[in-house]
Amino acid sequence: MAGLDAFIGRLDPDMYVVTAVAGGERAGCLVGFASQCSLRPVRFVVWLSELNHTFRVARNAEVLAVHLLAREQHGLAERFGGQTGDRTDKFEGVRLREAYGGAVVLEDAPAWFVGRIVTRAGGGDHIGFVLDPVEWGGDEAYDGPLLRLSGAHTIEPGHPVD
């Protein structure tokens, strides 16, 4: 595994906050496993751990909202990555708005989109939610650095990884 660790250790993906709403409950988490996965039609996949609260809400949701964070939004990343929705309302005090399908959008994110869940795919200890983007927005003037894994490595996960 040392060779694979050397490969994975060089990756520095963007970090995302994914939010879900279903059954009168809302949830959100910090995600590092996500990517565009199709050109035509445009599709995006986010991978959620089966252990976390957001997964349990997302599995009953019709849409998810995906947010990019600015590098200086480490506190927001810590809130959504370092706490669990099982015990904490991560949305308390955060500027929000409702979007397509009842999705919750973080108003201070520099870029976001809402995607209809097209399908789900198993991938080990995470489930991939393939999304069809239906609404998007953000601060078009923002051109600063985004939060990447290297800027979030100090965040202790709200849920254990195993």
Side-chain angles (χ1 to χ4, degrees), residues 34 61 63 100 102 124 158 162:
V63 297
Y100 179 93
D162 54 13

Side-chain angles (χ1 to χ4, degrees), residues 51-131:
L51 297 177
N52 78 32
H53 180 249
T54 303
F55 170 79
R56 292 191 303 275
V57 175
R59 69 181 172 201
N60 296 313
E62 294 181 19
V63 297
L64 299 178
V66 180
H67 309 78
L68 285 168
L69 299 180
R71 184 185 302 161
E72 62 268 11
Q73 291 179 299
H74 192 272
L76 193 58
E78 178 116 19
R79 174 187 293 249
F80 281 92
Q83 300 179 31
T84 173
D86 292 324
R87 295 185 296 271
T88 305
D89 179 1
K90 298 180 188 183
F91 297 92
E92 185 177 334
V94 175
R95 290 179 357 110
L96 309 169
R97 75 172 190 80
E98 188 173 317
Y100 179 93
V104 173
V105 169
L106 310 179
E107 287 192 340
D108 294 327
W112 58 269
F113 78 90
V114 174
R116 237 178 332 109
I117 300 170
V118 175
T119 192
R120 294 165 182 85
D125 58 4
H126 284 62
I127 300 296
F129 290 75
V130 178
L131 305 175

